[in-house]
Amino acid sequence: MSNRNIGVTNLGISTRAIAGQDIQTAASGAIDAVIEALRENAGLTGKLYHAEALKGATAPFVFWVQTGERYKEDLSGPTELEEADFEFHTVAKNLDSLNKISLAVRRALLSLQGQTVNGILYERVVLTQISPTINEHEVNLYRKVYEVTINYQEV
């Protein structure tokens, strides 16, 4: 892959190179089980990157960025339920491979709903494809973008 960053500049994300390594952010404890589920259930060990580690990745791969985190509120104020928002981008060299990796990612993410992992109960996982399949002509790759909202609480 060239040094071009597929779609990352459109997200306004910096792209420090930590090529070939899985990394995670400390911004949210909720992401830990998500990353582990993707590595184990979607076969993404060595192919899962935070957006900042994208440079030099070889397709197929998945990159992600956290886009928000907040406490849910009801009429009496904040609850114990937290909400985290992420974007997951699946990238592959052809449409068949893209569809396979995208299906594996969707299944792995949705499998967390109702699970308790490392003291965090994943109450709800909502996954939405937020773009059509994108043909990245400059680098000869295809990409799908998913928005994922996770409602969770510490137990």
Side-chain angles (χ1 to χ4, degrees):
M1 187 169 136
S2 73
N3 287 335
R4 293 184 190 105
N5 297 308
I6 57 170
V8 175
T9 54
N10 295 339
L11 296 173
I13 300 166
S14 68
T15 53
R16 269 191 334 258
I18 309 174
Q21 298 177 11
D22 291 337
I23 66 166
Q24 24 189 338
T25 180
S28 170
I31 192 64
D32 293 340
V34 172
I35 298 303
E36 194 60 33
L38 289 170
R39 283 184 184 142
E40 290 180 6
N41 300 331
L44 291 174
T45 299
K47 294 289 186 177
L48 181 62
Y49 302 90
H50 186 273
E52 293 180 348
L54 182 58
K55 191 173 184 177
T58 302
F61 61 89
V62 174
F63 70 92
W64 62 275
V65 62
Q66 184 170 356
T67 57
E69 185 172 35
R70 63 203 153 280
Y71 283 98
K72 296 296 285 180
E73 294 192 23
D74 60 18
L75 293 176
S76 60
T79 66
E80 295 295 315
L81 193 61
E82 296 180 57
E83 185 172 275
D85 299 314
F86 302 92
E87 281 186 9
F88 284 87
H89 299 246
T90 57
V91 180
K93 292 181 180 181
N94 59 58
L95 290 174
D96 186 49
S97 179
L98 180 68
N99 290 333
K100 286 178 183 175
I101 195 171
S102 295
L103 179 60
V105 165
R106 290 193 315 265
R107 285 181 176 163
L109 290 169
L110 293 173
S111 74
L112 286 172
Q113 186 164 305
Q115 301 292 320
T116 300
V117 180
N118 297 329
I120 296 178
L121 172 60
Y122 293 83
E123 295 273 355
R124 186 176 77 138
V125 177
V126 178
L127 186 140
T128 307
Q129 185 175 339
I130 60 172
S131 75
T133 299
I134 301 165
N135 185 347
E136 300 284 358
H137 297 286
E138 298 170 351
V139 289
N140 296 320
L141 296 172
Y142 293 91
R143 178 168 58 108
K144 287 185 182 182
V145 183
Y146 295 94
E147 179 179 73
V148 180
T149 300
I150 300 172
N151 296 112
Y152 65 96
Q153 62 181 315
E154 292 182 26
V155 291

